[in-house]
Amino acid sequence: MAPYVRLRQICLVAPQLEPVISDIAEIMGLSVCYRDGNVAKYGLENALLPVDTILLEVVAPFKDGTTAGRFIDKTGGRGGYMAIFCCNDPDERGRNANALGVRTANVIDHAPYHGVQLHPRDCRAAFIEFNHTDGSDDVLGAYPPAGPDWQNFIRNDVTQALTAVEMQSPDPQGLAEHWGKIIGVAATGDAELKLPNATFRFVKGASEIMSALEFRVTDAASVLHAAKARGLAVAGNEFLLSGVTFRLVA
């Protein structure tokens, strides 16, 4: 199998799933494809919505003392929690991260799925996970965390793609180079990581967080109107949801 790495999933964290899930679904024209009972062992509930072939997940803690709950407290409710990458070699990429001083936080092995999660304190800003599922070199292939038929829930009449992820840091170039070394993609001189299906942009900010997601939509004005109607803060071509800026491009 030829080496590859691409963005598979973005995970947000919220104190409760609702109204975040219904807001995302109604405003962005997306559908929930799966709720994974396996995350209950971490004290979490979740829901996943496909944005074309990238999954947008929201997790919420249902008990005290969870890693997700501590993350919400630490970031003051900024909900960009995890960037999940599909690749051919999650264990090798995990070992490479370990050599950089980034600890492995968790290994998930549910054949045919195998994932390696890295410690967020070492990654800085958010968790990084590498995973592989047999057949996942096909972007529409099996992906157990999204359920048995996630492909059937793809809608593109309102939202067509998740195109970029914005990360904030007091040292954006330094964070870009750190994530680039972990992921195996060289950072550009303007603090970007370009993957085959999405771009990570690193911008100046007071703290290290995943600050924004950028979506290509068919009608930005209609999406912004829907966000405003649900009581969300709208400014320019973006709105704030679960502590993350949703930015729209045509």
Side-chain angles (χ1 to χ4, degrees), residues 151-179:
Q151 307 91 334
N152 295 336
F153 293 84
I154 294 174
R155 292 179 53 190
N156 57 17
D157 51 320
V158 177
T159 300
Q160 298 176 323
L162 197 169
T163 56
V165 180
E166 180 187 273
M167 311 291 293
Q168 277 189 10
S169 171
D171 175 19
Q173 186 66 39
L175 185 60
E177 291 175 2
H178 182 59
W179 272 51

Side-chain angles (χ1 to χ4, degrees), residues 51-153:
V51 186
D52 195 36
T53 57
I54 294 175
L55 280 300
L56 182 59
E57 178 184 14
V58 181
V59 299
F62 61 76
K63 65 181 184 181
D64 295 334
T66 65
T67 301
R70 289 192 293 273
F71 188 91
I72 293 171
D73 293 340
K74 177 186 173 185
T75 61
R78 302 300 300 267
Y81 188 50
M82 188 178 294
I84 298 172
F85 300 91
C86 184
C87 63
N88 59 300
D89 54 354
D91 289 322
E92 183 174 338
R93 291 175 190 273
R95 287 191 292 271
N96 175 64
N98 296 159
L100 296 169
V102 178
R103 293 166 289 175
T104 297
N106 193 24
V107 175
I108 306 168
D109 207 359
H110 295 299
Y113 168 90
H114 180 72
V116 176
Q117 295 180 340
L118 304 178
H119 200 292
R121 184 174 298 171
D122 301 337
C123 295
R124 299 159 50 189
F127 274 96
I128 290 174
E129 176 186 312
F130 297 115
N131 69 46
H132 177 77
T133 300
D134 293 345
S136 61
D137 48 332
D138 177 356
V139 295
L140 288 171
Y143 187 57
D149 54 356
W150 67 273
Q151 307 91 334
N152 295 336
F153 293 84

Side-chain angles (χ1 to χ4, degrees), residues 10-32 35 45-49 56-61 72 77-80 213 230 232 239-244 246:
I10 288 293
C11 180
L12 308 181
V13 61
Q16 296 89 30
L17 286 186
E18 293 297 343
V20 177
I21 291 297
S22 57
D23 281 346
I24 293 174
E26 292 298 323
I27 296 168
M28 304 297 290
L30 302 173
S31 297
V32 173
R35 298 176 190 268
E45 55 184 354
N46 78 340
L48 294 102
L49 309 90
L56 182 59
E57 178 184 14
V58 181
V59 299
I72 293 171
R78 302 300 300 267
L213 303 176
R230 294 185 73 91
L232 302 181
F239 61 91
L240 191 65
L241 176 53
S242 194
V244 175
F246 282 51

Side-chain angles (χ1 to χ4, degrees), residues 207-237:
S207 59
E208 295 195 324
I209 57 171
M210 182 190 294
S211 50
L213 303 176
E214 182 178 288
F215 300 89
R216 186 172 66 247
V217 298
T218 56
D219 185 345
S222 294
V223 175
L224 293 169
H225 179 76
K228 193 171 184 178
R230 294 185 73 91
L232 302 181
V234 175
N237 67 331

